[in-house]
Amino acid sequence: MSTTLNRPEAGAASGTAGVRSARRGRWIEHWEPEDEAFWESTGKAIARRNLRWSVFAEHIGFCIWVIWTIVVINLANVGIALSVPEQFWLTAVPNLIGSALRIPYTFAIPRFGGRAWTTTSALLLLLPAGLLALVVPSGWLAEQSHSTQMAVLLGCAATAGLGGGNFSSSMANISFFYPEGRKGFALGLNAAGGNLGVAVTQLVVPLIIIAGVSGAAVKLPVHEVHLTYAGLLFIPFILLAAIVAWRRMDSLSQARTDTDAYRGAIRQPQTWVMSLLYIGTFGSFIGYSFALPLVIKNTFPEFLGQHPFIATYLAGLGFVGALVGSLARPLGGLLADRVGGARVTLAAFVGMGALTVVAIAGVQAHSFTLFFAAFMVIFLLSGVGNGSTYRMIPAIFSALGRREAEEHGTDLRPTLMRYKRQTAAVIGIAGAVGAFGGFLIQVVFRQASLGVGALVKAAQTPAEKAAIAHAHADWSVPALRVFVGAYAVFAAMTWFFYLRRSGATSRVPSLAYASV
């Protein structure tokens, strides 16, 4: 089935366009969301339908992307012993691959259409799910040398990065369906639905892999787990995502993020400013989502030992942060629509820096409660910042297009369409750079863990290992101090580029960035 939404004839009520077959593959040839009558009569229902299934497919992608955060902390239960720095590599590699795939995934939308690519990208997730189900828990791997184990695990973990690429293609696709005034909430909702996959995985997978294991057994330091179930769990949902995308989604002919758009976006300084800011918001969300279960496990072993239910069934409560951050993302977009994206983003960075200082105090006081509460607020602010920064991108490029048309006397509509295509390109670039920020967070944590990791590895007995870990429970403090400095830099950038001259933003960011 395919549809074309035709421009109404002169004198007809706008938005009453007929629908007729034009070419195969559910391609929509005419799409004008800025036309209020068209939007209300035709566009809104189609946009919402595509958003609904885009959210579902992206959600499954995030579920697969972060699944190794749970696998890693359970490898000892299947006979594979890794140092803390090695464990951080297994969570960092999917993050790195996912961020690298985001730019080519954005190019896939104009090449194949939103419907076809959403279907294809969903089916690709069968690879990491299948490898996790068949290879990782196999007895063969447990019997191999340490170097072979690490190589196989890295290869399997890398394929989970396929789930991380889905974000950029989904966001770029949905950005074309909605008018400018409604993009903030729509993009925030689309991203939030995907981000929730992190929380779902970190909550559900720890429970699934101990299905059939007695309660007494799972409270032991080493116990039986079924990692096969972690991979098998998502296969039916992957297939469902592919089926509904093929049957219910559409492709827009105007959704073209061509090479000219990318070249224009790359030459635009605002692309790189926003990409760096997205490192601070989304990079924090995804980096902490990947790292927090490991950080909690290796910072508060005594607390987890006293609360085996939290340690075993809830993976140290790491999922709560991902849940809070995901639900906060639409709020960030909505606030940006109302009071300005730069204001919201600046407040998020200031708050994240302050709460990271509180988290440091929690580590130094050996207070899991203080540390955990601080990080929950950090996740909340990162989610708000995710929504506000992504809302800033279309607002900035729309303003640039209007300014160019005014200064050069060009036709407004084609100029805005050119900048709208650049917006889709920037979404892909910023999504990739921001996700790479999550990888950097894990690298910083890994570097901070090297010293204590070497000491624990050299210890001869479990008691010695536990004593060393307890004595160096503040190993993460240097990493957290680095993050405080980074948030100060991001806050200063936000103020300098977007708030310095006007002191405020309206429904779009001010043109203070014009001097950049």
Side-chain angles (χ1 to χ4, degrees), residues 84 221 297-303 305 366 452-475:
V84 175
K297 178 182 177 181
N298 291 284
T299 304
F300 301 99
E302 287 189 346
F303 173 85
H366 303 287
V452 64
L455 292 173
V456 171
K457 191 173 183 179
Q460 299 298 314
T461 67
E464 291 178 350
K465 293 178 185 290
I468 292 172
H470 176 72
H472 296 83
D474 61 349
W475 63 271

Side-chain angles (χ1 to χ4, degrees), residues 187-202:
L187 291 176
L189 189 62
N190 188 56
N195 293 171
L196 276 171
V198 179
V200 168
T201 288
Q202 293 182 341

Side-chain angles (χ1 to χ4, degrees), residues 209-242:
I209 62 177
I210 58 173
V213 182
S214 70
V218 298
K219 293 179 180 179
L220 298 175
V222 178
H223 54 82
E224 182 183 6
V225 295
H226 306 293
L227 291 182
T228 297
Y229 296 171
L232 295 178
L233 170 67
F234 291 105
I235 290 177
F237 295 101
I238 292 170
L239 295 174
L240 179 60

Side-chain angles (χ1 to χ4, degrees), residues 51 168 182 198 239 264 323 342 361 392 514:
L51 175 62
S168 285
R182 295 178 173 89
V198 179
L239 295 174
L323 177 63
M392 289 171 69

Side-chain angles (χ1 to χ4, degrees), residues 108-417:
I109 293 297
R111 177 66 180 86
F112 303 106
R115 170 183 176 248
W117 184 248
T118 303
T119 304
T120 301
S121 60
L123 290 174
L124 288 173
L125 300 179
L126 292 172
L127 177 60
L131 288 174
L132 178 54
L134 299 175
V135 176
V136 176
S138 67
W140 169 83
L141 184 59
E143 297 172 354
Q144 302 305 305
S145 66
H146 183 77
S147 59
T148 299
Q149 289 176 345
M150 194 62 189
V152 172
L153 291 171
L154 281 172
C156 293
T159 64
L162 290 168
N166 290 9
F167 175 84
S168 285
S169 57
S170 177
M171 294 290 278
N173 184 45
I174 292 302
S175 72
F176 280 96
F177 278 94
Y178 280 82
E180 290 297 329
R182 295 178 173 89
K183 280 187 192 293
F185 185 71
L187 291 176
L189 189 62
N190 188 56
N195 293 171
L196 276 171
V198 179
V200 168
T201 288
Q202 293 182 341
L203 173 62
V204 174
V205 172
L207 300 175
I208 291 295
I209 62 177
I210 58 173
V213 182
S214 70
V218 298
K219 293 179 180 179
L220 298 175
V222 178
H223 54 82
E224 182 183 6
V225 295
H226 306 293
L227 291 182
T228 297
Y229 296 171
L232 295 178
L233 170 67
F234 291 105
I235 290 177
F237 295 101
I238 292 170
L239 295 174
L240 179 60
I243 291 169
V244 296
W246 186 253
R247 292 179 63 86
R248 299 293 295 158
M249 291 187 71
D250 305 286
S251 298
L252 297 179
S253 294
Q254 67 172 243
R256 299 192 303 272
T257 309
D258 52 29
T259 54
D260 288 339
Y262 260 91
R263 281 195 290 267
I266 289 171
R267 290 194 295 267
Q268 175 53 249
Q270 295 310 304
T271 299
W272 303 109
V273 175
M274 291 307 303
S275 295
L276 289 173
L277 294 184
Y278 203 54
I279 284 179
T281 57
F282 181 76
S284 294
F285 170 82
I286 199 64
Y288 293 144
S289 294
F290 272 101
L292 197 58
L294 265 176
V295 173
I296 291 174
K297 178 182 177 181
N298 291 284
T299 304
F300 301 99
E302 287 189 346
F303 173 85
L304 296 178
Q306 295 166 3
H307 299 83
F309 182 86
I310 292 176
T312 302
Y313 294 93
L314 301 178
L317 295 175
F319 76 94
V320 180
L323 177 63
V324 170
S326 300
L327 294 177
R329 185 156 189 161
L331 174 62
L334 186 61
L335 288 173
D337 282 341
R338 296 189 178 221
V339 303
R343 274 180 165 178
V344 177
T345 301
L346 177 61
F349 283 136
V350 171
M352 290 165 72
L355 268 297
T356 305
V357 173
V358 176
I360 291 172
V363 173
Q364 293 174 330
H366 303 287
S367 172
F368 174 81
T369 301
L370 183 60
F371 174 87
F372 185 77
F375 257 96
M376 293 310 99
V377 182
I378 291 170
F379 269 105
L380 172 69
L381 294 173
S382 73
V384 169
N386 286 341
S388 63
T389 50
Y390 247 52
R391 178 62 186 101
M392 289 171 69
I393 294 171
I396 288 170
F397 278 78
S398 176
L400 286 172
R402 292 179 185 280
R403 190 182 66 182
E404 180 179 306
E406 181 179 343
E407 291 179 351
H408 297 88
T410 57
D411 189 10
L412 180 61
R413 179 173 292 182
T415 302
L416 287 179
M417 181 54 63

